[in-house]
Amino acid sequence: MPTVAVASVVLGSLIAVRASRVLAAACLGYLAGTAPSADVACRLATGGTTDLRVVGSRNPGANNALKLLGARWGYGVMAADIAKGALACTAGRSMAAGTGAHVAGVAAVIGHCFPVWNGFRGGKGVATSVGQCAATFPAWSVVDLLVAWGAAVLPWWRRRHVGATVVSSAVWVLAATVWWRRGWPNLWGPRPTAAMPLAAAASSAVILYRLATEPPPLPLPPPGPPPPPDAGDHQPRRPAPQSPVVADTVPLPLA
């Protein structure tokens, strides 16, 4: 009986330690996801005069930054968002093995979409999930990008980014399930377990929720009438009337 009690205490302690490590991985992943890469890029590019949350698509992410700030800043934001997803998974794996990697990846996507520092108004989490896939499911990451690209170029999507995300998310979850059930190799990623499709499904659900609740893009201002020639005065400027010039002497006609 004492042996059973001791074993129970040891097992409970191990479970508690494991749970605490997973929780720490989740917290670390969330904090990594809240890193404001788009806000920093916007502040550097515009000197703080523009907020991506109130212009364009009103989304503080790579796509809006690409359209409003240019290719250099947009792709820089995309790379930063991918990196923070991958780094969150790597840190989570070091803390709680494969489960920690998957939990930290999902938490990073949640942190990107709902950052506590900005009133839970974040991006869509697509780029961060790319980093999650690259770190936890590298055997599928390149194929995942190709699937998203192929779905985006289909001509019958009304909103191509939504259609591409739906298709790539569904295929990501399906592929993760097959890899787990088949036990196929996963390159440098953790060994496939049930946590892999669950994490893919959780991140996909968060991203699809953000897409479903995103506000419509702001319309462009309608073209106004051409400016008046007086540069905007209420009353057009008219030249002051000129008095007729009268000569001092009238020349006499010649005889």
Side-chain angles (χ1 to χ4, degrees):
M1 195 69 182
T3 304
V4 174
V6 171
S8 300
V9 171
V10 171
L11 180 61
S13 300
L14 292 176
I15 294 175
V17 170
R18 177 73 172 177
S20 63
R21 289 182 177 179
V22 172
L23 180 60
C27 294
L28 184 60
Y30 178 84
L31 292 177
T34 62
S37 50
D39 293 332
V40 172
C42 188
R43 188 172 295 112
L44 293 175
T46 66
T49 60
T50 303
D51 185 358
L52 293 177
R53 290 175 176 80
V54 297
V55 293
S57 64
R58 291 181 279 181
N59 175 59
N63 192 33
N64 202 22
L66 184 67
K67 293 178 180 178
L68 297 175
L69 305 179
R72 182 181 65 174
W73 294 104
Y75 288 124
V77 171
M78 182 183 300
D81 290 345
I82 293 174
K84 67 185 183 183
L87 290 174
C89 294
T90 302
R93 187 177 182 181
S94 67
M95 300 174 68
T99 301
H102 294 299
V103 169
V106 176
V109 173
I110 295 174
H112 179 84
C113 295
F114 306 102
V116 66
W117 324 113
N118 292 304
F120 302 100
R121 298 167 57 207
K124 298 184 180 74
V126 176
T128 306
S129 72
V130 172
Q132 173 191 355
C133 185
T136 61
F137 195 7
W140 183 254
S141 56
V142 175
V143 181
D144 182 58
L145 294 177
L146 294 176
V147 170
W149 175 82
V153 299
L154 293 177
W156 54 77
W157 293 116
R158 183 179 178 183
R159 300 172 66 192
R160 292 189 177 185
H161 69 289
V162 176
T165 305
V166 171
V167 171
S168 62
S169 296
V171 178
W172 180 21
V173 175
L174 178 61
T177 303
V178 172
W179 243 260
W180 161 51
R181 298 299 296 173
R182 297 284 185 177
W184 289 342
N186 192 24
L187 299 179
W188 60 82
R191 182 178 62 85
T193 63
M196 190 160 74
L198 290 175
S203 292
S204 298
V206 173
I207 294 169
L208 294 177
Y209 173 80
R210 283 289 291 114
L211 289 173
T213 58
E214 67 176 336
L218 294 175
L220 296 175
D230 55 6
D233 287 345
H234 291 289
Q235 296 296 331
R237 296 176 182 170
R238 294 184 177 88
Q242 299 283 336
S243 300
V245 177
V246 179
D248 294 335
T249 58
V250 178
L252 296 175
L254 298 176

